[in-house]
PDB file of all heavy atoms in Angstrom:
ATOM      1  N   ARG A1164     116.390 110.849   8.964  1.00  0.00           N
ATOM      2  CA  ARG A1164     117.236 109.831   9.574  1.00  0.00           C
ATOM      3  C   ARG A1164     117.877 110.269  10.852  1.00  0.00           C
ATOM      4  O   ARG A1164     118.377 109.386  11.523  1.00  0.00           O
ATOM      5  CB  ARG A1164     118.333 109.513   8.472  1.00  0.00           C
ATOM      6  CG  ARG A1164     117.835 108.663   7.382  1.00  0.00           C
ATOM      7  CD  ARG A1164     118.925 108.195   6.510  1.00  0.00           C
ATOM      8  NE  ARG A1164     118.808 108.707   5.158  1.00  0.00           N
ATOM      9  CZ  ARG A1164     119.712 109.290   4.459  1.00  0.00           C
ATOM     10  NH1 ARG A1164     121.001 109.201   4.904  1.00  0.00           N
ATOM     11  NH2 ARG A1164     119.581 109.805   3.326  1.00  0.00           N
ATOM     12  N   LEU A1165     117.756 111.553  11.178  1.00  0.00           N
ATOM     13  CA  LEU A1165     118.381 112.117  12.378  1.00  0.00           C
ATOM     14  C   LEU A1165     117.319 112.726  13.289  1.00  0.00           C
ATOM     15  O   LEU A1165     116.851 113.759  12.961  1.00  0.00           O
ATOM     16  CB  LEU A1165     119.461 113.179  12.014  1.00  0.00           C
ATOM     17  CG  LEU A1165     120.681 112.742  11.298  1.00  0.00           C
ATOM     18  CD1 LEU A1165     121.438 113.942  10.801  1.00  0.00           C
ATOM     19  CD2 LEU A1165     121.564 111.926  12.185  1.00  0.00           C
ATOM     20  N   ASN A1166     117.075 112.040  14.364  1.00  0.00           N
ATOM     21  CA  ASN A1166     116.063 112.490  15.311  1.00  0.00           C
ATOM     22  C   ASN A1166     116.669 113.355  16.326  1.00  0.00           C
ATOM     23  O   ASN A1166     117.720 112.985  16.928  1.00  0.00           O
ATOM     24  CB  ASN A1166     115.395 111.303  15.933  1.00  0.00           C
ATOM     25  CG  ASN A1166     114.493 110.602  15.046  1.00  0.00           C
ATOM     26  OD1 ASN A1166     113.814 111.072  14.148  1.00  0.00           O
ATOM     27  ND2 ASN A1166     114.504 109.262  15.157  1.00  0.00           N
ATOM     28  N   ALA A1167     116.086 114.529  16.642  1.00  0.00           N
ATOM     29  CA  ALA A1167     116.548 115.372  17.694  1.00  0.00           C
ATOM     30  C   ALA A1167     116.209 114.583  18.991  1.00  0.00           C
ATOM     31  O   ALA A1167     115.124 114.129  19.119  1.00  0.00           O
ATOM     32  CB  ALA A1167     115.844 116.713  17.623  1.00  0.00           C
ATOM     33  N   TYR A1168     117.256 114.540  19.910  1.00  0.00           N
ATOM     34  CA  TYR A1168     117.066 113.825  21.175  1.00  0.00           C
ATOM     35  C   TYR A1168     115.967 114.351  22.007  1.00  0.00           C
ATOM     36  O   TYR A1168     115.896 115.652  22.180  1.00  0.00           O
ATOM     37  CB  TYR A1168     118.371 113.704  21.929  1.00  0.00           C
ATOM     38  CG  TYR A1168     118.272 112.960  23.225  1.00  0.00           C
ATOM     39  CD1 TYR A1168     118.097 111.657  23.209  1.00  0.00           C
ATOM     40  CD2 TYR A1168     118.172 113.660  24.429  1.00  0.00           C
ATOM     41  CE1 TYR A1168     117.987 110.931  24.468  1.00  0.00           C
ATOM     42  CE2 TYR A1168     118.094 113.031  25.618  1.00  0.00           C
ATOM     43  CZ  TYR A1168     117.969 111.639  25.563  1.00  0.00           C
ATOM     44  OH  TYR A1168     117.845 110.875  26.774  1.00  0.00           O
ATOM     45  N   GLU A1169     115.135 113.493  22.631  1.00  0.00           N
ATOM     46  CA  GLU A1169     114.180 113.888  23.595  1.00  0.00           C
ATOM     47  C   GLU A1169     114.312 112.853  24.693  1.00  0.00           C
ATOM     48  O   GLU A1169     114.181 111.658  24.541  1.00  0.00           O
ATOM     49  CB  GLU A1169     112.728 113.854  23.058  1.00  0.00           C
ATOM     50  CG  GLU A1169     112.438 114.813  21.957  1.00  0.00           C
ATOM     51  CD  GLU A1169     112.384 116.257  22.480  1.00  0.00           C
ATOM     52  OE1 GLU A1169     112.144 116.486  23.662  1.00  0.00           O
ATOM     53  OE2 GLU A1169     112.587 117.121  21.628  1.00  0.00           O
ATOM     54  N   GLY A1170     114.587 113.331  25.919  1.00  0.00           N
ATOM     55  CA  GLY A1170     114.735 112.394  27.047  1.00  0.00           C
ATOM     56  C   GLY A1170     115.459 113.047  28.170  1.00  0.00           C
ATOM     57  O   GLY A1170     115.770 114.251  28.171  1.00  0.00           O
ATOM     58  N   ASP A1171     115.845 112.267  29.184  1.00  0.00           N
ATOM     59  CA  ASP A1171     116.503 112.747  30.363  1.00  0.00           C
ATOM     60  C   ASP A1171     117.940 112.480  30.532  1.00  0.00           C
ATOM     61  O   ASP A1171     118.650 112.888  31.406  1.00  0.00           O
ATOM     62  CB  ASP A1171     115.787 112.148  31.597  1.00  0.00           C
ATOM     63  CG  ASP A1171     114.377 112.466  31.694  1.00  0.00           C
ATOM     64  OD1 ASP A1171     114.016 113.695  31.425  1.00  0.00           O
ATOM     65  OD2 ASP A1171     113.537 111.660  32.161  1.00  0.00           O
ATOM     66  N   GLU A1172     118.461 111.806  29.546  1.00  0.00           N
ATOM     67  CA  GLU A1172     119.921 111.501  29.463  1.00  0.00           C
ATOM     68  C   GLU A1172     120.635 112.711  29.002  1.00  0.00           C
ATOM     69  O   GLU A1172     120.125 113.636  28.366  1.00  0.00           O
ATOM     70  CB  GLU A1172     120.235 110.356  28.447  1.00  0.00           C
ATOM     71  CG  GLU A1172     119.588 109.073  28.911  1.00  0.00           C
ATOM     72  CD  GLU A1172     120.225 108.534  30.182  1.00  0.00           C
ATOM     73  OE1 GLU A1172     121.424 108.593  30.307  1.00  0.00           O
ATOM     74  OE2 GLU A1172     119.473 107.813  30.962  1.00  0.00           O
ATOM     75  N   PRO A1173     122.011 112.786  29.315  1.00  0.00           N
ATOM     76  CA  PRO A1173     122.801 113.963  28.918  1.00  0.00           C
ATOM     77  C   PRO A1173     122.776 114.080  27.345  1.00  0.00           C
ATOM     78  O   PRO A1173     122.801 113.019  26.659  1.00  0.00           O
ATOM     79  CB  PRO A1173     124.309 113.775  29.346  1.00  0.00           C
ATOM     80  CG  PRO A1173     124.033 112.724  30.566  1.00  0.00           C
ATOM     81  CD  PRO A1173     122.768 111.896  30.184  1.00  0.00           C
ATOM     82  N   PHE A1174     122.750 115.272  26.765  1.00  0.00           N
ATOM     83  CA  PHE A1174     122.787 115.495  25.397  1.00  0.00           C
ATOM     84  C   PHE A1174     123.501 116.819  25.055  1.00  0.00           C
ATOM     85  O   PHE A1174     123.625 117.698  25.906  1.00  0.00           O
ATOM     86  CB  PHE A1174     121.296 115.527  24.855  1.00  0.00           C
ATOM     87  CG  PHE A1174     120.509 116.610  25.188  1.00  0.00           C
ATOM     88  CD1 PHE A1174     120.449 117.829  24.503  1.00  0.00           C
ATOM     89  CD2 PHE A1174     119.803 116.623  26.464  1.00  0.00           C
ATOM     90  CE1 PHE A1174     119.633 118.894  24.973  1.00  0.00           C
ATOM     91  CE2 PHE A1174     118.993 117.736  26.820  1.00  0.00           C
ATOM     92  CZ  PHE A1174     118.922 118.833  26.043  1.00  0.00           C
ATOM     93  N   ILE A1175     123.850 116.928  23.816  1.00  0.00           N
ATOM     94  CA  ILE A1175     124.455 118.150  23.264  1.00  0.00           C
ATOM     95  C   ILE A1175     123.422 119.039  22.544  1.00  0.00           C
ATOM     96  O   ILE A1175     122.675 118.483  21.734  1.00  0.00           O
ATOM     97  CB  ILE A1175     125.545 117.691  22.198  1.00  0.00           C
ATOM     98  CG1 ILE A1175     126.606 116.776  22.921  1.00  0.00           C
ATOM     99  CG2 ILE A1175     126.209 118.966  21.569  1.00  0.00           C
ATOM    100  CD1 ILE A1175     127.506 116.065  21.863  1.00  0.00           C
TER     101      ILE A1175
END
Side-chain angles (χ1 to χ4, degrees):
R1164 288 187 243 139
L1165 292 171
N1166 294 319
Y1168 178 73
E1169 295 291 337
D1171 296 325
E1172 297 291 322
F1174 68 93
I1175 301 166

